[in-house]
Each structure stands twice: as structure tokens, then as C-alpha cells.
């Protein structure tokens, strides 16, 4: 097993069956995490990129079975931030030293493309990078948003298994999602994707396919997290993913895509009080602290146990900085584009 991991450190390649073998093995996890940490250090360095996350509306027209803000969850109190509020939040983030804001929302037509373009243009005057995470759009819409100044786009594939995808997204199509990722690449965005670990009926073989898919599309960013069952969704009685497994997949992503930007995700911290720091020491080099007002945080609960619900943007910024420095890492001062 160690030989396999050593090979991946040197070549950044693993076959499907080799990935499955590593995923099934439980004896070499620590070795894998150390190897991913080594590749991270060599390829992207010690600086951690902070991206300020703005969850600007929880209105969503999609109905993904795992997600707490799905259309059919009538228990969610929906909110819509105004363009001015979104800009003010971005301005506050820039003031706190963030060099990127991530505009994330449910998938909704609430804001027209023109309105979104205006928001992006205004935020770009702050001289920070803008990442969008607003779901599936058509090619013209993605182009307009890019022309307005958006730099990056996050769209997790969630799973590349047709069977699992269909079960979780009865109204959506895996083909369409892949097409979106291809449009985004073609238009020159830095493109992020990723998957959920521990979904019902997901097998190690599927996760290996996911990892090879990230490599095939040469993902610039890879966001991975454990699936955490939400009591307000149809998947409330499922078991969910484990921290350790999500960490393994993340470490493998670092070995296969050594120069990618990989966040230590909030969902990892939900399952382990030290989750983000452990992830940063197992291949991750990005953290995405929430910069929203506390009034909105509790309304954007994709899964239970979301961290920092009562903490303001300033507190999270200071808290995460202290944590990062405590493990001997630094805070990046650049916009943090991928350098291959
Ligand atoms: N558990 C963990 N992650 C979730 N997401 C949605 N619902 C859950 C859940 N129950 C993730 C999806 C989505 C991202 C924004 O949040 O992967 O792409
Ligand atoms: Fe929010 Fe620590 S990151 S309080």
C-alpha cells in the first residue's frame, strides 16, 4: 500500500483499481495524509487562501434529496439579500483582508442575470476575486457573468454514478451538469467541482470514478465533504459519511491534482471539532469562512450542526487566522489563482 502511495506522490497517477484499493485499506490512512501534506507543501506551499463566503439567498428551485434548503423543505424561512446588502457584505470582507468572495445561493431565478452582473461589477471595484456558486445556468448566462468579471465558478458534480445521481436528483441530469462544467472551462473560469462522501448506495468504485473525473476535466478547485443527513429531508434516516473517509478522498485528490486549490470544508469541521486544521494538514490549502451577518447564518443550513452560527465575520476571520498560524502555516496575501 505504501508503495502505491509513493508512486502517486511521484507520478500523480493512480488507476481506478489502485484508488479503490487505497480507499478500502484502513492500515495506511496516516501515511496517505502525510503524503498529501507533503505534495501540498511542495506544490502550493504553506500559505492558506481565505475565501469569504456570502450565502446571499436560500431560495432554491432544486430539490436535491440530501439538501436542507431544497424546494420542498417548507420549514426553512427563506431570505433574499438585496444587491446593496450583498455589496456591503463583500466590502466588509475586503476590509477584513479577504482577497476573494464566494457568492453562493440556492439555484433560483430570483435575481436576473443583469442584476447578478451589476453586483459582480460593483464587487470587482474592490479589487478582489469573485467566485460564483449559484448552480446550473446556460452557456450565454455563464458568459455574461464571466464578462461582468466573475473569476471562478464552483459546481460540485456530487457523484459521477448515474444510478446514485438519479436517485438523489430525480429532476436533474448528470449529463447536463457535466455540460455546465465544460461550458465553464471553455469560457475561461477557474472551475471547481467535488463530491459528497457517504451518499446512500455510493460505493468506493464510484468515488474512484469521481476522482478520475476531477483529473479528466483538470479541476482547478475540488471541494469534498461528508454527506450529513438533515432531519428536514427525505434522507433523514440515512447513515451519512464519516470524517475519515472524506479526509481520505481529499488526500487522494491532492495526490492526483497536485496544484489544485482544495478547501478544508465546513462539513468536515461539523463532524470533527478540529476538522479544518486536520484537513489543512492532509492536503488542503484553502478555507472558506462565512462572512454573512449572523441573522442569515442559521437559515442556510444544508446539513445540521453548521459551525459558527452565532459568530460574526470579524470573529471568524480572527479565529481561523489564529488556528492557521498555530499549525505553522501563513495566510496568503494574493488572490490565490491556481498556478500549475
Ligand atoms: N451534507 C453535506 N453537504 C451537503 N451539501 C448539500 N447538502 C448537504 C448535506 N446534507 C453540499 C453539496 C453542495 C454544497 C454547496 O453543499 O455538495 O454542492
Ligand atoms: Fe467562525 Fe472560528 S471560524 S468562530
Amino acid at each position: 500500500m505504501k508503495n502505491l502511495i509513493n508512486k502517486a506522490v511521484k507520478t500523480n497517477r493512480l488507476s481506478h483499481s489502485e484508488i479503490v484499493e487505497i480507499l478500502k485499506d484502513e492500515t495506511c490512512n496516516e501515511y496517505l495524509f502525510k503524503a498529501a501534506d507533503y505534495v501540498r507543501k511542495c506544490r502550493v506551499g504553506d500559505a492558506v487562501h481565505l475565501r469569504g463566503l456570502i450565502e446571499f439567498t436560500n431560495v432554491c428551485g432544486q430539490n436535491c434529496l440530501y439538501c436542507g434548503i431544497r424546494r420542498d423543505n417548507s420549514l426553512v424561512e427563506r431570505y433574499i439579500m438585496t444587491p446593496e446588502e450583498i455589496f456591503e457584505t463583500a466590502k466588509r470582507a475586503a476590509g477584513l483582508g479577504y482577497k476573494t468572495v464566494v457568492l453562493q445561493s440556492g439555484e433560483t431565478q430570483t435575481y436576473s442575470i443583469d442584476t447578478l452582473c451589476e453586483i459582480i461589477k460593483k464587487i470587482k471595484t474592490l479589487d478582489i476575486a469573485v467566485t460564483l456558486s449559484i448552480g446550473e445556468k446556460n452557456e450565454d448566462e455563464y458568459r455574461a457573468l464571466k464578462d461582468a468579471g466573475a473569476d471562478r465558478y464552483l459546481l460540485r458534480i456530487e457523484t459521477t454514478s448515474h444510478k446514485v445521481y438519479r436517485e438523489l436528483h430525480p429532476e436533474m441530469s448528470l449529463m447536463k451538469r457535466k455540460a455546465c462544467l465544460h461550458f465553464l472551462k471553455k469560457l475561461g473560469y477557474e472551475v471547481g467541482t467535488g463530491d459528497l462522501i457517504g451518499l446512500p448506495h455510493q460505493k468506493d468504485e464510484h468515488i474512484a470514478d469521481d476522482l478520475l473525473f476531477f483529473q479528466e476535466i483538470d479541476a482547478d478547485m475540488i471541494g469534498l465533504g461528508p454527506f450529513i443527513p438533515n432531519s428536514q429531508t427525505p434522507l433523514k434516516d440515512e447513515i451519512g459519511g464519516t470524517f475519515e473517509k472524506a479526509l481520505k478522498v481529499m488526500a487522494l485528490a491532492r495526490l492526483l491534482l497536485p496544484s489544485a486549490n482544495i478547501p478544508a470544508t465546513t462539513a468536515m469541521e461539523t463532524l470533527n471539532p478540529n476538522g479544518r486544521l486536520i484537513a489543512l494538514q492532509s492536503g488542503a490549502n484553502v478555507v472558506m469562512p462565512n462572512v454573512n451577518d449572523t441573522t442569515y447564518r442559521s437559515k442556510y443550513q444544508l446539513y445540521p450542526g453548521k459551525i459558527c452560527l452565532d459568530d460574526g465575520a470579524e470573529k471568524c476571520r480572527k479565529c481561523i487566522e489564529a488556528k492557521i498560524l498555530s499549525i505553522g502555516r501563513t495566510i496568503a496575501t494574493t488572490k490565490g489563482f491556481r498556478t500549475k
Side-chain angles (χ1 to χ4, degrees):
M1 196 58 53
K2 287 186 179 171
N3 285 343
L4 260 189
I5 295 170
N6 292 343
K7 183 190 96 166
V9 168
K10 282 205 196 85
T11 64
N12 309 121
R13 284 189 183 279
L14 285 169
S15 70
H16 188 269
S17 60
E18 289 169 339
I19 296 174
V20 172
E21 214 180 308
I22 295 174
L23 286 172
K24 290 201 188 303
D25 174 86
E26 289 298 338
T27 63
C28 281
N29 290 356
E30 285 306 320
Y31 194 82
L32 171 67
F33 301 148
K34 291 240 158 54
D37 193 45
Y38 172 78
V39 172
R40 185 272 311 155
K41 192 177 175 67
C42 296
R43 294 298 294 266
V44 295
D46 280 341
V48 175
H49 298 283
L50 298 182
R51 326 286 201 196
L53 179 64
I54 305 176
E55 297 157 336
F56 64 93
T57 177
N58 62 359
V59 174
C60 192
Q62 293 289 15
N63 227 355
C64 309
L65 261 57
Y66 43 79
C67 183
I69 62 166
R70 64 199 299 271
R71 189 180 70 217
D72 286 354
N73 185 4
S74 54
L75 298 172
V76 175
E77 193 190 320
R78 306 284 168 173
Y79 69 88
I80 299 167
M81 282 167 66
T82 63
E84 292 72 31
E85 258 180 299
I86 299 170
F87 175 70
E88 285 306 318
T89 308
K91 201 166 143 190
R92 191 172 61 205
L96 289 172
Y98 287 100
K99 303 287 178 226
T100 294
V101 288
V102 181
L103 300 180
Q104 186 171 79
S105 70
E107 205 171 295
T108 174
Q109 316 274 348
T110 304
Y111 304 78
S112 68
I113 292 294
D114 285 346
T115 303
L116 290 171
C117 287
E118 288 312 312
I119 296 169
I120 294 165
K121 279 186 198 151
K122 204 155 166 218
I123 295 177
K124 288 300 290 184
T125 64
L126 300 168
D127 189 29
I128 55 177
V130 172
T131 303
L132 300 177
S133 176
I134 58 177
E136 295 180 11
K137 306 270 175 206
N138 67 38
E139 190 175 357
D140 288 339
E141 294 171 326
Y142 283 146
R143 183 177 299 108
L145 296 166
K146 182 86 184 58
D147 290 344
D151 302 280
R152 312 190 182 106
Y153 207 105
L154 305 178
L155 186 74
R156 287 188 182 175
I157 195 79
E158 315 293 1
T159 172
T160 56
S161 152
H162 282 279
K163 176 181 178 291
V164 178
Y165 194 92
R166 216 175 308 119
E167 285 172 359
L168 298 172
H169 315 95
E171 301 160 28
M172 296 168 78
S173 135
L174 181 60
M175 292 291 281
K176 182 166 177 224
R177 205 153 181 93
K178 285 189 178 174
C180 285
L181 289 168
H182 285 293
F183 289 147
L184 290 163
K185 269 265 165 192
K186 194 176 89 180
L187 291 165
Y189 282 94
E190 277 203 340
V191 176
T193 188
D195 58 5
L196 283 168
I197 307 302
L199 291 167
H201 303 137
Q202 184 186 47
K203 298 191 168 45
D204 289 337
E205 286 74 9
H206 299 141
I207 297 174
D209 284 332
D210 297 347
L211 284 162
L212 292 173
F213 172 74
F214 305 154
Q215 205 173 32
E216 180 192 314
I217 67 163
D218 192 25
D220 300 299
M221 301 166 283
I222 301 161
L224 301 157
F227 156 56
I228 306 173
N230 186 319
S231 64
Q232 299 177 349
T233 67
L235 301 187
K236 58 178 181 293
D237 296 325
E238 297 293 336
I239 298 168
T242 64
F243 173 71
E244 189 92 350
K245 188 64 168 274
L247 201 64
K248 280 181 82 170
V249 181
M250 196 201 72
L252 283 163
R254 172 60 70 200
L255 299 189
L256 294 174
L257 289 114
S259 65
N261 281 321
I262 301 181
T265 55
T266 311
M268 289 195 181
E269 187 109 341
T270 297
L271 292 192
N272 183 314
N274 243 337
R276 287 177 301 178
L277 285 192
I278 297 170
L280 284 173
Q281 294 171 298
S282 311
N285 70 321
V286 173
V287 182
M288 296 165 61
N290 200 307
V291 292
N292 262 18
D293 217 78
T294 47
T295 43
Y296 295 125
R297 292 194 186 200
S298 60
K299 300 188 174 79
Y300 204 96
Q301 291 208 59
L302 311 182
Y303 49 83
K306 183 182 187 183
I307 59 166
C308 306
L309 281 185
D310 301 319
D311 302 310
E314 198 164 339
K315 175 156 182 225
C316 284
R317 177 66 176 72
K318 284 199 181 126
C319 165
I320 199 67
E321 174 162 346
K323 286 185 180 191
I324 290 167
L325 297 179
S326 79
I327 57 166
R329 301 277 281 277
T330 57
I331 308 288
T333 52
T334 62
K335 291 188 182 124
F337 288 101
R338 181 186 187 193
T339 42
K340 284 197 205 177

